[in-house]
Amino acid sequence: MSMPAQPQYPGSPQGGPGSPSGFPGLQTPGVDGKVPGKGMKKAGLIMLIVGLVLCLIGIVVFVVAIVKVVGVASDVSDNSTVFNGSATIELEAGKDMQAYVHEGETGPSCTIVGADGTNPDTGTVNQKSTVTTEGTDWESFGSFTAKSTQEYTITCDSPNEVMVAPPVSVGGIVGSVGGIIGGLLVGGFGFLLLVVGVILFFVGRSKAKKAQNPAF
């Protein structure tokens, strides 16, 4: 005796080929047809790359600026002469020099005479320079410029130490400090982008994985 066929209702699963999808391994697009998390993952990757590049640029600018600051101080230190009473130094024509005393001391009266008996131009550097060499702080009290390449004898009426050295490059110092600040700002912004980019990338990847393996 045969059993009557069971009625089929619209929308009921057939269990055979062509049945509705919804099994693990199939991507489930969102309402607009896009895979969830894909755009976030892409944006995060872009921000990560840009942030990394800015970090590297900031580091390079910071290091170069530091080297310039050290170079300015080294120029003064390497071309300095410290003496008591008098000293003879050789200078090239047009070379600007300043006379320094220990910070807080009063500058003595000094005379400068070239080997040919001529005097260099004095008061030619219109800036006050301060510098630290070998742990000692110095401040300038006078300046002069060599008229010709020759030896110059400097005599001061004080037993205290006097240093003769090039003036501190204010423009170089200001530019280097600006470079340090700029490097920190660029590097800091790049690091922020890097962190946000990493977060977006992994969150987007997590959402994409959930879309590929939906729970049912």
Side-chain angles (χ1 to χ4, degrees):
M1 181 175 177
S2 61
M3 298 295 291
Q6 297 294 326
Q8 298 291 333
Y9 297 97
S12 61
Q14 301 299 317
S19 60
S21 61
F23 295 95
L26 298 178
Q27 289 188 341
T28 304
V31 178
D32 56 358
K34 296 182 179 179
V35 178
K38 184 177 181 180
M40 184 181 293
K41 180 181 176 182
K42 182 178 180 181
L45 182 61
I46 293 174
M47 293 180 68
L48 192 154
I49 295 173
V50 173
L52 182 60
V53 171
L54 290 179
C55 281
L56 293 176
I57 292 175
I59 291 173
V60 171
V61 172
F62 179 81
V63 171
V64 170
I66 290 293
V67 170
K68 285 185 177 181
V69 170
V70 174
V72 171
S74 297
D75 179 59
V76 175
S77 179
D78 295 343
N79 294 281
S80 64
T81 300
V82 178
F83 62 92
N84 297 86
S86 66
T88 300
I89 59 176
E90 185 171 352
L91 299 174
E92 295 181 354
K95 180 68 174 180
D96 293 325
M97 300 294 285
Q98 281 188 304
Y100 298 78
V101 292
H102 291 290
E103 192 172 25
E105 293 182 356
T106 301
S109 177
C110 302
T111 58
I112 309 170
V113 182
D116 61 358
T118 61
N119 302 107
D121 296 326
T122 58
T124 52
V125 180
N126 298 317
Q127 72 175 52
K128 189 79 171 180
S129 298
T130 57
V131 65
T132 301
T133 62
E134 299 182 357
T136 302
D137 297 325
W138 300 84
E139 59 183 6
S140 64
F141 67 90
S143 62
F144 63 95
T145 300
K147 289 182 179 180
S148 60
T149 301
Q150 61 176 315
E151 289 186 338
Y152 289 86
T153 299
I154 306 169
T155 304
C156 299
D157 62 357
S158 171
N160 296 333
E161 282 189 328
V162 173
M163 179 176 73
V164 176
V168 177
S169 175
V170 176
I173 290 291
V174 172
S176 298
V177 171
I180 292 173
I181 296 174
L184 290 174
L185 291 176
V186 173
F189 182 66
F191 180 75
L192 179 62
L193 285 180
L194 186 63
V195 172
V196 175
V198 169
I199 293 174
L200 289 178
F201 178 82
F202 283 104
V203 171
R205 189 174 72 169
S206 177
K207 287 187 175 182
K209 284 185 177 180
K210 288 182 179 179
Q212 290 176 349
N213 301 281
F216 69 100

